[in-house]
Amino acid sequence: MAEQDQEFLDFVVKSLVDHPDDTQVERTVDEMGVLLTLKTNPEDMGQIIGRSGNTARAIRTLLRVVGAKNNARVNLKIHEPEGSSRTPRKDDRGSDRRDDRRDDRRDDRRPSRAPEEEADTSAVDDLRL
């Protein structure tokens, strides 16, 4: 797989943003898999994340497919630049959501997810990156 996942992410992100020269992708490999860290111009963050995070979710899904094809688990971390104007989101009680996260407990209102199955990559087996 070498760095196909990194090249793929670089191509996709540079196609989306207004400042492609400011885009950096760092790749680290450990026992958990591959972590791609994306750093970009602060003005381009909205284009990468998208409305309600849909663009970022789609990029992560595509990276999972590229990783599955090469028997690797690929994760994406989008680095928040210094001086970001984003403020932490508040929940209904007005507290900072980052402090309120429950570690390993799941929300009983949400249905439990089935264990992850191996992804079907037959549609992209002949894909050349």
Side-chain angles (χ1 to χ4, degrees):
M1 180 155 126
E3 296 173 351
Q4 287 181 339
D5 48 14
Q6 183 176 4
E7 293 171 11
F8 175 75
L9 178 62
D10 197 45
F11 172 77
V12 170
V13 170
K14 285 184 177 184
S15 299
L16 291 173
V17 298
D18 292 330
H19 304 94
D21 296 334
D22 295 345
T23 301
Q24 276 184 300
V25 178
E26 295 176 10
R27 183 178 193 267
T28 54
V29 180
D30 61 11
E31 67 277 353
M32 297 290 289
V34 178
L35 176 65
L36 296 176
T37 304
L38 175 64
K39 296 180 181 179
T40 188
N41 189 307
E43 294 176 12
D44 293 330
M45 289 298 289
Q47 292 169 310
I48 293 170
I49 295 171
R51 197 172 298 239
S52 299
N54 286 334
T55 304
R57 189 175 302 116
I59 293 171
R60 285 186 170 107
T61 301
L62 290 170
L63 284 171
R64 240 181 270 126
V65 170
V66 171
K69 183 178 177 195
N70 295 291
N71 298 321
R73 184 173 179 93
V74 180
N75 292 299
L76 172 63
K77 176 182 177 185
I78 300 173
H79 178 75
E80 188 171 341
E82 293 293 325
S84 173
S85 61
R86 184 181 77 88
T87 57
R89 291 174 43 187
K90 305 283 183 184
D91 66 5
D92 294 339
R93 294 169 288 168
S95 63
D96 188 349
R97 289 181 68 189
R98 290 181 183 177
D99 296 335
D100 266 356
R101 287 189 185 139
R102 292 183 237 170
D103 295 332
D104 294 320
R105 294 177 280 166
R106 70 175 175 85
D107 190 348
D108 291 332
R109 292 174 283 165
R110 294 192 313 197
S112 61
R113 291 177 52 176
E116 288 189 27
E117 298 176 10
E118 189 157 329
D120 177 20
T121 62
S122 60
V124 294
D125 285 342
D126 296 329
L127 180 68
R128 302 213 190 269
L129 299 177

